[in-house]
Amino acid sequence: MSDPVYDYDVLIVGTGNAACSAALAALEKTPRVGMLEKAPQRDRGGNSMLTVLMRFAFNGAEDLKPLIRNYSDDEMRPLLEGLPHRTEAELWDEIMHVTNNQSDQDMLQVHVTESLKTVHWLATKGHDWSPATIRDDNVVTMNGGGAGLQKRNFAILEKAGVKFHYETAALELVQDAKGKVTGVKALTPQGVATFNAKSVVLACGSFESNPEMRARYLGPGWDMIHQRGVPFNTGDGLKMAMDIGAMPHGSWSTCHASPQDIALPKFTVPSAHSLKDSQTRYMYPWGIMVNMNAERFIDEAYDTRGRTYAAMGRSILAQPGGIAYQILDAKIRKMNLYTPNYQSATTVKANTLEKLGAELDLNVPKFVKTVREFNAAVQPGQYNPDRHQLDGKCTAGITPPKTNYALEIDEAPFEAFPVRCGMTFAFGGLKIDPKTSQVQHVAGRPIPGLYAAGEMAGGLWVGNYASGSGMMAGATFGRIAGTYAAVTAIA
Ligand SMILES: Cc1cc2nc3c(=O)[nH]c(=O)nc-3n(C[C@H](O)[C@H](O)[C@H](O)COP(=O)(O)OP(=O)(O)OC[C@H]3O[C@@H](n4cnc5c(N)ncnc54)[C@H](O)[C@@H]3O)c2cc1C
């Protein structure tokens, strides 16, 4: 097979949210935009297809109105009761808080100050949002979730004449004698082809689907975990860029991993995904979690759900067998706190704690003792299972403590949900200039012609993360990457 050559002003690797945002932005400057996607067309769109929301700064209802077009003021009011605003300063503090003050401040500055502008920009492209119905600490979700967002993106980009190359895996970056990136070599269904470009944007995810890299960077045990998302993000873009001297950046030993149903498959492709059957198991703040030794192992509510879930996966993986049981009682059902996706959860139900422990094959006396000790440690106070705010209703005298939403587990029937760690994406990435998304060389200067966005850009997340941040960062830095890649290309 010959080596066909394609020519673009801007070539984007990946078709996730970061890539599509880059393409939307590049199109404002040039129509000559191409996109490479490793997956077949039916499974295009990456992990972004499986998402629900973006976390952005807003000052009140006026900022949300351009996003939620079909809602009246009356309908919007309840939306803002729990979270009337998330100012730039508040968003900054939240991310600094969850990352233990380790987020790259230059990246974060751009992320925070560009977030609202970026969602408004997406709205001008035809996207819209709806009030959030899930128990997360964000007030709105993308209409149709990530699948809806991406479906709209593909329609806009295809209409504008962007050329998509499916089943085409980028293999290596091509450079000229001066070190400028001039294209990408990729494996197409017909063989290896060269895609020439004046600028290249890498937006092809992190290494969560690559067991060798997971073990190498995240440590023992991570090679065998189940992923929440697509099998295509095998760190190719990271390797290609580091092969030409790109600087790694951020936390390469930590990742986003959360509690998932024990039945979580090894990975999920977009064509098989349904939000209804989502395997996320995020009700742990309303109950307790025990391991196979019938012991609690973590404060289940040290913060709101949206600020703990991405670190919970690691805690579960560290337990014997890498599993845990979420224990809830009938009060939680009566209070209507169950998220709809628990309807399809793997579960065990019993009328006594003894029977529940036996069904779970736990040491029954120890399990009953763990629950009773927890119950005895619950302090008086107002229980308020608010997704936006902590209630301070805590335990005293037990280790680990539960610092919020502590309510006795004493009303039958009792329910247990076995969960495992599901990895979402890795936090390590490349160093970019946050103002342009241009990839930086280890020699301390930018790599001409090379930009990166989405999971590929490192630095923002360290050890933990706040829900909705990956899609927001992808859109923001994707938009910046697409803009600067195109400006340089046509200069
Ligand atoms: C189940 C699930 C739910 C989530 N929910 C949320 C949420 O609600 N909000 C949120 O902010 N984040 C959420 N996330 C995280 C979010 O998905 C990511 O932060 C975001 O999608 C990253 O976007 P991206 O464009 O960088 O990567 P992706 O969307 O994963 O796109 C990467 C693309 O690159 C392609 N690719 C990989 N290698 C190559 C190659 N060599 N050549 C060509 N193409 C290649 C892949 O096929 C893929 O299409 C969720 C993740 C999962 C798995």
Side-chain angles (χ1 to χ4, degrees), residues 122-386:
L122 285 170
T124 67
K125 301 291 177 191
H127 293 295
D128 60 349
W129 274 254
S130 328
T133 52
I134 57 167
R135 290 201 162 267
D136 179 86
D137 56 0
N138 287 287
V139 285
V140 291
T141 57
M142 283 124 30
N143 219 347
L149 175 98
Q150 287 287 84
K151 212 171 146 192
R152 292 187 292 273
N153 273 334
F154 293 128
I156 301 164
L157 297 173
E158 279 163 358
K159 194 166 169 214
V162 169
K163 177 90 174 91
F164 287 85
H165 302 265
Y166 295 108
E167 296 176 66
T168 297
L171 297 175
E172 66 184 80
L173 293 165
V174 185
Q175 286 175 290
D176 66 14
K178 289 185 177 162
K180 180 184 183 307
V181 171
T182 57
V184 170
K185 274 201 174 204
L187 184 63
T188 75
Q190 290 75 38
V192 175
T194 302
F195 293 79
N196 290 335
K198 293 184 181 136
S199 300
V200 171
V201 178
L202 292 175
C204 47
S206 67
F207 61 82
E208 69 269 9
S209 325
N210 182 327
E212 189 270 344
M213 290 180 82
R214 289 198 305 263
R216 181 143 46 113
Y217 295 113
L218 302 174
W222 286 94
D223 41 0
M224 298 308 290
I225 52 98
H226 291 215
Q227 299 171 58
R228 300 177 57 208
V230 298
F232 312 112
N233 294 346
T234 46
D236 311 347
L238 296 169
K239 284 191 276 188
M240 280 161 42
M242 291 191 293
D243 280 349
I244 66 158
M247 180 72 182
H249 191 50
S251 173
W252 279 70
S253 62
T254 64
C255 68
H256 183 308
S258 62
Q260 300 290 312
D261 197 291
I262 196 79
L264 179 74
K266 272 282 185 184
F267 57 80
T268 302
V269 287
S271 57
H273 176 70
S274 129
L275 277 179
K276 191 167 76 45
D277 295 332
S278 148
Q279 307 276 320
T280 56
R281 298 292 173 257
Y282 294 165
M283 294 209 359
Y284 56 87
W286 316 136
I288 59 168
M289 282 197 284
V290 299
N291 61 18
M292 287 208 298
N293 295 336
E295 290 162 346
R296 286 180 61 245
F297 53 91
I298 193 159
D299 179 345
E300 296 85 353
Y302 64 87
D303 206 334
T304 59
R305 197 284 286 167
R307 298 197 291 244
T308 58
Y309 77 114
M312 277 295 166
R314 182 175 280 266
S315 312
I316 292 168
L317 186 64
Q319 301 314 306
I323 66 166
Y325 301 103
Q326 298 178 350
I327 311 291
L328 300 162
D329 78 352
K331 292 196 289 298
I332 304 302
R333 282 227 181 256
K334 282 188 189 157
M335 283 187 278
N336 207 15
L337 291 178
Y338 272 75
T339 49
N341 68 343
Y342 268 68
Q343 278 166 15
S344 58
T346 307
T347 182
V348 172
K349 206 172 190 174
N351 277 327
T352 65
L353 288 171
E354 286 78 2
K355 279 191 187 141
L356 191 71
E359 285 280 334
L360 296 173
D361 218 10
L362 297 176
N363 176 325
V364 172
K366 199 168 168 193
F367 172 64
V368 173
K369 185 167 171 263
T370 296
V371 177
R372 295 214 170 118
E373 276 177 2
F374 172 80
N375 289 347
V378 171
Q379 298 300 294
Q382 184 63 42
Y383 180 70
N384 181 16
D386 186 315

Side-chain angles (χ1 to χ4, degrees), residues 18 37-38 46-48 51-53 170 204 233 236 424 455 468 470-471:
E37 173 53 63
K38 191 194 226 178
N47 284 344
S48 303
T51 66
V52 183
L53 40 89
C204 47
N233 294 346
D236 311 347
T424 321
E455 290 168 1
M471 290 295 283

Side-chain angles (χ1 to χ4, degrees), residues 3-46:
D3 180 1
V5 175
Y6 301 88
D7 259 300
Y8 292 107
D9 281 347
V10 178
L11 179 68
I12 299 166
V13 184
T15 61
N17 161 60
C20 290
S21 300
L24 290 175
L27 275 178
E28 291 172 358
K29 316 275 177 207
T30 172
R32 290 171 32 81
V33 177
M35 298 181 81
L36 308 186
E37 173 53 63
K38 191 194 226 178
Q41 182 167 356
R42 70 172 178 277
D43 287 320
R44 65 184 174 178

